[in-house]
Amino acid sequence: MAIWTDQMLPRIFNVCMNGKPLREIRARVCADLSGDVVEIGSGSGLNAPYYPAVVTGVWAVEPSEVARKLATKRNTKTEVPVHFAGLDGQRLDLPDSHFDMALSTWTLCTIPDLHAALRELLRVLKPGGAYHFVEHGRAPDEKVARFQDRWEPLHSRIAGGCKVTREFPAEIERAGFAIKEATHYYMKAAPKYGGYVCEGWAIKP
Ligand SMILES: C[S@@+](CC[C@H](N)C(=O)[O-])C[C@H]1O[C@@H](n2cnc3c(N)ncnc32)[C@H](O)[C@@H]1O
């Protein structure tokens, strides 16, 4: 299983999560970032081409060694400095109230203690700082949601701990963020059970 999760899965994500529909979403989610940004679950750096030039630096938190290596290649092609800043979004070794903005794309599904990660983002963001996200979760259609409930245990084992039934933006709001914008849709070219996303942004009050 370690070969699958540690070696193969990060490489599969690197390819499968780089299709045109996801690239369009990444471009939108990153478009209004500026200043110092903390990104949790930065993966293989697929957001790096979309960091705007007004971003002064990205502090990238990512546990997978393979993903970090893939990201290093990609990060050299962006003018925005990217600093690897730790392995675990649940415990950030970063100062309080420092960051202007935070970013996560398809990450909160995989972090075991989602609330610990959201609390950490709140801690390191400046008051009024914005958190931009796209996350997938429970679908509103009963049939799809029932399938998600049944499929989740196996899916989670195959997909590195990914849960398909978390509810966004409710979880983000519950953690203490104020949601400013949240759009829901099924992603193109993705199975419905894993493709219902919430794209938006929130602020630390
Ligand atoms: C589906 S991938 C998405 C990667 C990247 N955000 C993207 O959009 O391409 C989920 C990512 O969350 C990372 N992850 C898992 N547990 C984590 C944790 N505790 N803290 C931070 N990232 C974590 C995984 O290693 C993986 O890179």
Side-chain angles (χ1 to χ4, degrees):
M1 204 64 182
I3 289 187
W4 171 252
T5 51
D6 298 350
Q7 299 294 325
M8 294 175 73
L9 212 47
R11 291 182 169 92
I12 292 171
F13 285 148
N14 181 47
V15 175
C16 295
M17 298 192 69
N18 199 21
K20 191 165 178 255
L22 272 73
R23 292 203 305 271
E24 286 171 0
I25 299 171
R26 293 180 191 284
R28 280 198 305 270
V29 174
C30 295
D32 293 327
L33 295 173
S34 62
D36 284 358
V37 176
V38 56
E39 178 174 7
I40 55 165
S42 48
S44 58
L46 291 172
N47 290 326
Y50 306 103
Y51 299 149
V54 286
V55 171
T56 38
V58 172
W59 278 256
V61 176
E62 171 54 53
S64 160
E65 196 181 337
V66 170
R68 289 198 309 274
K69 269 194 195 141
L70 292 165
T72 302
K73 286 185 200 158
R74 204 162 268 127
N75 292 343
T76 57
K77 293 184 188 146
T78 165
E79 280 168 28
V80 173
V82 181
H83 317 276
F84 283 116
L87 305 177
D88 187 0
Q90 299 162 124
R91 284 158 52 114
L92 298 177
D93 190 13
L94 294 169
D96 294 355
S97 304
H98 172 85
F99 289 92
D100 301 294
M101 296 205 172
L103 172 68
S104 76
T105 58
W106 299 281
T107 292
L108 295 181
C109 54
T110 305
I111 297 189
D113 188 344
L114 163 69
H115 287 279
L118 288 168
R119 273 196 308 273
E120 280 294 79
L121 287 186
L122 275 173
R123 181 181 66 75
V124 302
L125 269 175
K126 290 176 182 168
Y131 167 36
H132 289 232
F133 57 85
V134 59
E135 296 293 344
H136 74 105
R138 182 180 287 285
D141 306 272
E142 240 178 71
K143 233 172 112 180
V144 181
R146 266 203 309 275
F147 183 77
Q148 288 178 316
D149 284 330
R150 280 204 303 272
W151 171 243
E152 184 170 83
L154 182 60
H155 171 83
S156 180
R157 290 196 64 186
I158 298 168
C162 170
K163 302 278 195 299
V164 292
T165 59
R166 289 181 171 173
E167 294 185 14
F168 300 109
E171 298 285 8
I172 295 169
E173 198 163 31
R174 200 169 297 144
F177 282 95
I179 303 294
K180 301 307 270 183
E181 216 175 298
T183 313
H184 291 91
Y185 53 91
Y186 287 104
M187 286 187 296
K188 282 182 217 157
K192 281 191 164 179
Y193 76 84
Y196 187 70
V197 297
C198 177
E199 175 185 325
W201 65 284
I203 58 162
K204 172 178 173 173

